[in-house]
Amino acid sequence: MAYNRRTPSPSGGPPPARDSSHVRAANPQTPRERVPAYLNAHRPVMRLTEWELKASDDLPPDDAWADIDVSENLWVATIRLSNDFFKLKPREQRRVLAHEMLHIHLHAIDRMVAHLDGILGREAFTLFDSQFDTEGERVCEALSFIVAERLPLPNFKPRAS
């Protein structure tokens, strides 16, 4: 017997899921598809509650495990993860994600520095921008070890279908 909204189930509870008319979200199966849920669940720890965090299918440049693109106009940041990221131990994955999330806090300063292009002169800006980028990476890297300890270990292992 199929259940519908008019036919109560024998137990008196909701109808079985296969007979329900409610649309259910797909359960993400790949590790990459589960990253946004992890990031968004832990936004409060990182003081990023306004932000929507996404994961791109694109890979980061060079040999980076990850990088993040922060929108100029929206409260949206998109992380790109290398395939090697998923080979890291969960403790290291957590630290890499904390590092990238810290970049969101520095984004306003990054934008300010970008606006100095043309004001400082080409040579001065190139030197300043390069040094600022290096120091920003050092700050995110140093703080990521501290901040990561406040996040739970991720579990991005593939799930059985």
Side-chain angles (χ1 to χ4, degrees), residues 4 34 40 43-44 50 70 80 108 112 120 137 144 148 152:
N4 61 40
R34 291 203 314 276
N40 285 297
R43 290 177 302 170
E50 314 76 19
V70 182
R80 294 185 294 184
M112 181 190 71
L120 294 180
E137 284 297 325
S144 71

Side-chain angles (χ1 to χ4, degrees), residues 17-150:
R18 69 184 183 329
D19 293 330
S20 175
S21 62
H22 297 288
V23 177
R24 287 176 171 69
N27 185 15
Q29 297 299 310
T30 69
R32 191 175 302 276
E33 290 172 327
R34 291 203 314 276
V35 170
Y38 176 86
L39 295 174
N40 285 297
H42 305 297
R43 290 177 302 170
V45 173
M46 299 295 296
R47 302 291 193 259
L48 296 169
T49 54
E50 314 76 19
W51 291 84
E52 178 185 359
L53 306 176
K54 299 179 177 185
S56 173
D57 289 333
D58 296 334
L59 300 175
D62 306 321
D63 61 348
W65 283 317
D67 76 345
I68 196 159
D69 179 48
V70 182
S71 172
E72 300 246 346
N73 301 313
L74 304 172
W75 295 90
V76 175
T78 305
I79 193 167
R80 294 185 294 184
L81 301 165
S82 73
N83 293 326
D84 288 338
F85 169 84
F86 296 100
K87 297 174 187 173
L88 297 172
K89 292 181 179 175
R91 185 172 297 281
E92 191 62 14
Q93 290 175 336
R94 176 179 67 181
R95 194 198 56 73
V96 169
L97 295 174
H99 174 109
E100 295 308 324
M101 292 167 72
L102 285 165
H103 277 293
I104 297 170
H105 289 291
L106 294 179
H107 183 65
I109 299 169
D110 290 338
R111 283 191 5 224
M112 181 190 71
V113 169
H115 290 303
L116 293 175
D117 190 11
I119 296 171
L120 294 180
R122 191 82 216 128
E123 287 181 36
F125 174 76
T126 301
L127 178 64
F128 180 75
D129 185 50
S130 174
Q131 189 64 36
F132 183 82
D133 186 52
T134 299
E135 295 308 316
E137 284 297 325
R138 286 182 179 166
V139 166
C140 289
E141 187 67 9
L143 292 177
S144 71
F145 287 91
I146 299 163
V147 171
E149 293 298 320
R150 300 206 49 202

